[in-house]
Amino acid sequence: SQLLINASRGGIIDENSLLHNRDAPALLIDTWEHEPNISIPLAKKCFIATPHSAGYTKQAKHNATVAIF
């Protein structure tokens, strides 16, 4: 069996291809092509689907602001 893990960047994998591929491997996706608007149908096909929300948290925005200044 196969497992495809995408925890790098959205758009690295062809989500549309995975969505329509009957022989797609088990999917573990943490980054999505059109974040924060993820593909719900693809998420439903995943073994594990998580939101890649590190940049959206209050703490992350604070840390980025501190880094800029």
Side-chain angles (χ1 to χ4, degrees):
S1 61
Q2 299 174 335
L3 172 65
L4 185 141
I5 300 171
N6 185 20
S8 58
R9 292 283 180 245
I12 295 295
I13 60 173
D14 183 353
E15 292 181 6
N16 191 47
S17 176
L18 290 175
L19 183 61
H20 296 98
N21 185 343
R22 290 184 182 188
D23 297 323
L27 302 171
L28 191 159
I29 300 178
D30 177 59
T31 56
W32 303 85
E33 188 172 356
H34 301 290
E35 292 176 354
N37 301 316
I38 69 167
S39 169
I40 300 301
L42 183 58
K44 289 180 179 181
K45 287 186 72 169
C46 290
F47 176 65
I48 298 175
T50 58
H52 185 75
S53 61
Y56 299 112
T57 65
K58 184 177 180 180
Q59 184 66 42
K61 292 188 183 296
H62 171 74
N63 291 347
T65 302
V66 169
I68 290 170
F69 287 105

